[in-house]
PDB file of all heavy atoms in Angstrom:
ATOM      1  N   LEU L  87      25.055 -60.944  -5.352  1.00 82.00           N
ATOM      2  CA  LEU L  87      24.066 -61.504  -4.445  1.00 82.00           C
ATOM      3  C   LEU L  87      23.442 -62.746  -5.058  1.00 82.00           C
ATOM      4  O   LEU L  87      23.230 -62.813  -6.277  1.00 82.00           O
ATOM      5  CB  LEU L  87      22.976 -60.474  -4.139  1.00 82.00           C
ATOM      6  CG  LEU L  87      23.428 -59.207  -3.423  1.00 82.00           C
ATOM      7  CD1 LEU L  87      22.253 -58.246  -3.263  1.00 82.00           C
ATOM      8  CD2 LEU L  87      24.014 -59.532  -2.056  1.00 82.00           C
ATOM      9  N   PRO L  88      23.129 -63.724  -4.231  1.00 81.00           N
ATOM     10  CA  PRO L  88      22.482 -64.935  -4.762  1.00 81.00           C
ATOM     11  C   PRO L  88      21.135 -64.606  -5.373  1.00 81.00           C
ATOM     12  O   PRO L  88      20.431 -63.698  -4.915  1.00 81.00           O
ATOM     13  CB  PRO L  88      22.321 -65.827  -3.518  1.00 81.00           C
ATOM     14  CG  PRO L  88      23.312 -65.306  -2.541  1.00 81.00           C
ATOM     15  CD  PRO L  88      23.423 -63.829  -2.802  1.00 81.00           C
ATOM     16  N   PRO L  89      20.748 -65.321  -6.435  1.00 78.00           N
ATOM     17  CA  PRO L  89      19.435 -65.058  -7.054  1.00 78.00           C
ATOM     18  C   PRO L  89      18.303 -65.289  -6.054  1.00 78.00           C
ATOM     19  O   PRO L  89      18.346 -66.200  -5.231  1.00 78.00           O
ATOM     20  CB  PRO L  89      19.377 -66.048  -8.218  1.00 78.00           C
ATOM     21  CG  PRO L  89      20.804 -66.408  -8.489  1.00 78.00           C
ATOM     22  CD  PRO L  89      21.513 -66.336  -7.173  1.00 78.00           C
ATOM     23  N   GLY L  90      17.276 -64.432  -6.155  1.00 74.00           N
ATOM     24  CA  GLY L  90      16.130 -64.572  -5.279  1.00 74.00           C
ATOM     25  C   GLY L  90      16.328 -63.988  -3.897  1.00 74.00           C
ATOM     26  O   GLY L  90      15.483 -64.210  -3.020  1.00 74.00           O
ATOM     27  N   THR L  91      17.425 -63.251  -3.681  1.00 75.00           N
ATOM     28  CA  THR L  91      17.657 -62.659  -2.367  1.00 75.00           C
ATOM     29  C   THR L  91      16.645 -61.549  -2.116  1.00 75.00           C
ATOM     30  O   THR L  91      16.447 -60.670  -2.964  1.00 75.00           O
ATOM     31  CB  THR L  91      19.084 -62.097  -2.275  1.00 75.00           C
ATOM     32  OG1 THR L  91      20.015 -63.154  -2.519  1.00 75.00           O
ATOM     33  CG2 THR L  91      19.333 -61.510  -0.887  1.00 75.00           C
ATOM     34  N   ASN L  92      16.008 -61.599  -0.974  1.00 78.00           N
ATOM     35  CA  ASN L  92      15.002 -60.600  -0.609  1.00 78.00           C
ATOM     36  C   ASN L  92      15.619 -59.665   0.428  1.00 78.00           C
ATOM     37  O   ASN L  92      15.760 -60.037   1.602  1.00 78.00           O
ATOM     38  CB  ASN L  92      13.748 -61.270  -0.065  1.00 78.00           C
ATOM     39  CG  ASN L  92      12.637 -60.274   0.187  1.00 78.00           C
ATOM     40  OD1 ASN L  92      12.689 -59.141  -0.272  1.00 78.00           O
ATOM     41  ND2 ASN L  92      11.617 -60.705   0.917  1.00 78.00           N
ATOM     42  N   LEU L  93      16.006 -58.497  -0.007  1.00 80.00           N
ATOM     43  CA  LEU L  93      16.638 -57.546   0.895  1.00 80.00           C
ATOM     44  C   LEU L  93      15.582 -56.797   1.697  1.00 80.00           C
ATOM     45  O   LEU L  93      14.633 -56.258   1.137  1.00 80.00           O
ATOM     46  CB  LEU L  93      17.483 -56.548   0.103  1.00 80.00           C
ATOM     47  CG  LEU L  93      18.652 -57.129  -0.705  1.00 80.00           C
ATOM     48  CD1 LEU L  93      19.373 -56.017  -1.458  1.00 80.00           C
ATOM     49  CD2 LEU L  93      19.622 -57.865   0.208  1.00 80.00           C
ATOM     50  N   GLN L  94      15.742 -56.762   2.996  1.00 80.00           N
ATOM     51  CA  GLN L  94      14.857 -56.022   3.886  1.00 80.00           C
ATOM     52  C   GLN L  94      15.696 -54.947   4.589  1.00 80.00           C
ATOM     53  O   GLN L  94      16.246 -55.165   5.662  1.00 80.00           O
ATOM     54  CB  GLN L  94      14.198 -56.963   4.906  1.00 80.00           C
ATOM     55  CG  GLN L  94      13.307 -58.017   4.293  1.00 80.00           C
ATOM     56  CD  GLN L  94      12.058 -57.421   3.670  1.00 80.00           C
ATOM     57  OE1 GLN L  94      11.600 -56.350   4.082  1.00 80.00           O
ATOM     58  NE2 GLN L  94      11.491 -58.103   2.680  1.00 80.00           N
ATOM     59  N   LEU L  95      15.835 -53.819   3.939  1.00 84.00           N
ATOM     60  CA  LEU L  95      16.681 -52.750   4.454  1.00 84.00           C
ATOM     61  C   LEU L  95      15.813 -51.602   4.953  1.00 84.00           C
ATOM     62  O   LEU L  95      14.796 -51.267   4.341  1.00 84.00           O
ATOM     63  CB  LEU L  95      17.631 -52.252   3.359  1.00 84.00           C
ATOM     64  CG  LEU L  95      18.501 -53.328   2.699  1.00 84.00           C
ATOM     65  CD1 LEU L  95      19.311 -52.703   1.579  1.00 84.00           C
ATOM     66  CD2 LEU L  95      19.411 -53.975   3.727  1.00 84.00           C
ATOM     67  N   LYS L  96      16.215 -50.980   6.047  1.00 87.00           N
ATOM     68  CA  LYS L  96      15.486 -49.861   6.612  1.00 87.00           C
ATOM     69  C   LYS L  96      16.330 -48.589   6.734  1.00 87.00           C
ATOM     70  O   LYS L  96      15.828 -47.568   7.182  1.00 87.00           O
ATOM     71  CB  LYS L  96      14.952 -50.225   7.995  1.00 87.00           C
ATOM     72  CG  LYS L  96      13.939 -51.351   7.995  1.00 87.00           C
ATOM     73  CD  LYS L  96      13.412 -51.610   9.403  1.00 87.00           C
ATOM     74  CE  LYS L  96      12.383 -52.726   9.399  1.00 87.00           C
ATOM     75  NZ  LYS L  96      11.851 -52.992  10.769  1.00 87.00           N
ATOM     76  N   ASN L  97      17.591 -48.689   6.367  1.00 91.00           N
ATOM     77  CA  ASN L  97      18.470 -47.533   6.525  1.00 91.00           C
ATOM     78  C   ASN L  97      18.958 -46.979   5.196  1.00 91.00           C
ATOM     79  O   ASN L  97      19.968 -46.288   5.133  1.00 91.00           O
ATOM     80  CB  ASN L  97      19.673 -47.897   7.403  1.00 91.00           C
ATOM     81  CG  ASN L  97      20.488 -49.039   6.812  1.00 91.00           C
ATOM     82  OD1 ASN L  97      20.045 -49.697   5.882  1.00 91.00           O
ATOM     83  ND2 ASN L  97      21.666 -49.268   7.360  1.00 91.00           N
ATOM     84  N   VAL L  98      18.243 -47.267   4.110  1.00 94.00           N
ATOM     85  CA  VAL L  98      18.601 -46.785   2.773  1.00 94.00           C
ATOM     86  C   VAL L  98      17.375 -46.123   2.155  1.00 94.00           C
ATOM     87  O   VAL L  98      16.256 -46.605   2.316  1.00 94.00           O
ATOM     88  CB  VAL L  98      19.108 -47.929   1.873  1.00 94.00           C
ATOM     89  CG1 VAL L  98      19.507 -47.382   0.504  1.00 94.00           C
ATOM     90  CG2 VAL L  98      20.268 -48.649   2.522  1.00 94.00           C
ATOM     91  N   ALA L  99      17.597 -45.021   1.455  1.00 94.00           N
ATOM     92  CA  ALA L  99      16.507 -44.302   0.790  1.00 94.00           C
ATOM     93  C   ALA L  99      16.952 -43.871  -0.599  1.00 94.00           C
ATOM     94  O   ALA L  99      18.096 -43.402  -0.789  1.00 94.00           O
ATOM     95  CB  ALA L  99      16.075 -43.087   1.605  1.00 94.00           C
ATOM     96  N   ALA L 100      16.066 -44.051  -1.567  1.00 95.00           N
ATOM     97  CA  ALA L 100      16.312 -43.552  -2.925  1.00 95.00           C
ATOM     98  C   ALA L 100      15.956 -42.074  -2.983  1.00 95.00           C
ATOM     99  O   ALA L 100      14.901 -41.668  -2.491  1.00 95.00           O
ATOM    100  CB  ALA L 100      15.502 -44.339  -3.936  1.00 95.00           C
ATOM    101  N   VAL L 101      16.822 -41.268  -3.577  1.00 96.00           N
ATOM    102  CA  VAL L 101      16.632 -39.816  -3.577  1.00 96.00           C
ATOM    103  C   VAL L 101      16.924 -39.250  -4.954  1.00 96.00           C
ATOM    104  O   VAL L 101      17.608 -39.874  -5.780  1.00 96.00           O
ATOM    105  CB  VAL L 101      17.560 -39.133  -2.539  1.00 96.00           C
ATOM    106  CG1 VAL L 101      17.189 -39.557  -1.135  1.00 96.00           C
ATOM    107  CG2 VAL L 101      19.027 -39.443  -2.835  1.00 96.00           C
ATOM    108  N   MET L 102      16.389 -38.052  -5.179  1.00 96.00           N
ATOM    109  CA  MET L 102      16.742 -37.255  -6.348  1.00 96.00           C
ATOM    110  C   MET L 102      17.601 -36.089  -5.870  1.00 96.00           C
ATOM    111  O   MET L 102      17.260 -35.415  -4.891  1.00 96.00           O
ATOM    112  CB  MET L 102      15.496 -36.726  -7.049  1.00 96.00           C
ATOM    113  CG  MET L 102      14.594 -37.813  -7.615  1.00 96.00           C
ATOM    114  SD  MET L 102      15.413 -38.883  -8.810  1.00 96.00           S
ATOM    115  CE  MET L 102      15.813 -37.718 -10.106  1.00 96.00           C
ATOM    116  N   VAL L 103      18.687 -35.862  -6.564  1.00 97.00           N
ATOM    117  CA  VAL L 103      19.644 -34.819  -6.207  1.00 97.00           C
ATOM    118  C   VAL L 103      19.598 -33.735  -7.276  1.00 97.00           C
ATOM    119  O   VAL L 103      19.703 -34.032  -8.474  1.00 97.00           O
ATOM    120  CB  VAL L 103      21.066 -35.393  -6.079  1.00 97.00           C
ATOM    121  CG1 VAL L 103      22.041 -34.321  -5.595  1.00 97.00           C
ATOM    122  CG2 VAL L 103      21.075 -36.587  -5.132  1.00 97.00           C
ATOM    123  N   THR L 104      19.400 -32.494  -6.857  1.00 97.00           N
ATOM    124  CA  THR L 104      19.311 -31.374  -7.789  1.00 97.00           C
ATOM    125  C   THR L 104      20.309 -30.288  -7.397  1.00 97.00           C
ATOM    126  O   THR L 104      20.633 -30.117  -6.219  1.00 97.00           O
ATOM    127  CB  THR L 104      17.899 -30.773  -7.811  1.00 97.00           C
ATOM    128  OG1 THR L 104      17.530 -30.378  -6.482  1.00 97.00           O
ATOM    129  CG2 THR L 104      16.883 -31.787  -8.322  1.00 97.00           C
TER     130      THR L 104
END
Side-chain angles (χ1 to χ4, degrees):
L87 297 177
T91 302
N92 186 14
L93 298 179
Q94 297 292 334
L95 305 176
K96 296 182 179 180
N97 59 348
V98 182
V101 295
M102 297 301 297
V103 185
T104 56

